[in-house]
Amino acid sequence: MAKKSGLSAEDVDSLRSQLNEGTQPMVWFTAAAVGMEAGRSAKLLAFTEPEEGDFIQVRPTGSKDEMSFSPAELTLEKPPPRKKPATPPPAPPEPSRETEIIHPYVPEAPVKTAAPKPKPAPAPVEAAAPKPAARKASGKGSTPEVTVTLVTTGEGEWTVEVLQGSRKAVRPTPVSPAAVAQAAKLLTPEVSEIVEGVLNAARAQQLARVEQLRAELEAAQKALDELGA
């Protein structure tokens, strides 16, 4: 059976349910995870909206950074423990040799020669693992990009929306024209001029509407007077 790789849609739904219940489940990085060693564990923190690209936020084990990954870079399968490399046994020492030298006709004491010392066995050398490429962290140590958008309908109504990276931090919220005008004056003169032009157009439109309603009210009052009310 082929080994499962990455998170399926069912896995994402299961992890989301565990988060909603207050549990932070563990996941593991696959070989597709950029900048992370395959098999390293991480704690699931949150899911960002919308579910596009790297929308799964995790904290790798041993790190304080919060990083975002795609489903293909994570898995629920815990890798088997790694086997330690076997250490080769030390080489046996060479046997010592003794040589007796006897001079002709004259007995002499045997002369012993020291056996050469055995060379120590070379220690096993482990190849250094390549350092993973640095990945941009989206944790507390980095500053996410923030986008503030002001939208007007042209009738004096304004809304503000804030995006933090790809996440919608503040949904469209109504703001008063006075607050918009005050904020625009604190920005560049170009921004203040554009906002003031929009506000003036809205004022003119509302003034025309007031004049129209006033004329209709006078006509209605006149008609009521003629009816003898």
Side-chain angles (χ1 to χ4, degrees):
M1 181 181 294
K3 186 177 181 181
K4 179 181 176 182
S5 177
L7 297 176
S8 64
E10 291 77 9
D11 294 336
V12 172
D13 292 338
S14 176
L15 292 173
R16 191 186 298 274
S17 299
Q18 295 181 51
L19 279 178
N20 293 336
E21 293 173 359
T23 303
Q24 290 182 315
M26 298 296 294
V27 293
W28 287 265
F29 294 107
T30 66
V34 179
M36 285 295 163
E37 181 181 2
R40 183 177 178 181
S41 61
K43 181 179 291 185
L44 182 64
L45 299 179
F47 291 92
T48 60
E49 298 292 344
E51 295 184 356
E52 297 177 357
D54 300 342
F55 67 92
I56 305 176
Q57 292 186 350
V58 300
R59 179 181 292 117
T61 301
S63 173
K64 295 182 179 180
D65 291 332
E66 297 177 5
M67 302 181 179
S68 297
F69 293 88
S70 67
E73 297 175 290
L74 302 172
T75 180
L76 293 178
E77 295 183 359
K78 183 178 181 181
R82 296 183 179 179
K83 296 182 179 180
K84 296 183 179 179
T87 304
E94 297 182 3
S96 60
R97 298 178 182 177
E98 295 184 357
T99 305
E100 294 184 357
I101 302 177
I102 303 176
H103 196 276
Y105 308 109
V106 181
E108 294 180 356
V111 179
K112 297 181 179 180
T113 58
K117 296 182 179 180
K119 296 182 179 180
V125 179
E126 296 182 358
K131 295 183 178 180
R135 185 184 183 95
K136 184 178 180 182
S138 60
K140 299 179 180 178
S142 60
T143 303
E145 181 181 354
V146 176
T147 303
V148 180
T149 305
L150 283 171
V151 180
T152 179
T153 60
E155 297 180 357
E157 297 179 356
W158 292 79
T159 59
V160 64
E161 181 182 10
V162 180
L163 294 179
Q164 192 170 15
S166 60
R167 184 175 65 88
K168 186 174 293 186
V170 177
R171 299 184 179 276
T173 304
V175 291
S176 65
V180 174
Q182 184 178 3
K185 291 179 180 179
L186 300 177
L187 300 176
T188 62
E190 292 81 1
V191 175
S192 178
E193 182 179 355
I194 293 174
V195 172
E196 187 63 27
V198 175
L199 292 175
N200 288 337
R203 292 189 192 99
Q205 184 178 2
Q206 294 298 328
L207 182 60
R209 184 180 179 185
V210 169
E211 293 296 334
Q212 180 182 358
L213 292 175
R214 182 179 290 116
E216 293 177 357
L217 179 61
E218 291 178 355
Q221 185 65 45
K222 183 178 179 181
L224 184 62
D225 293 341
E226 292 176 353
L227 292 174

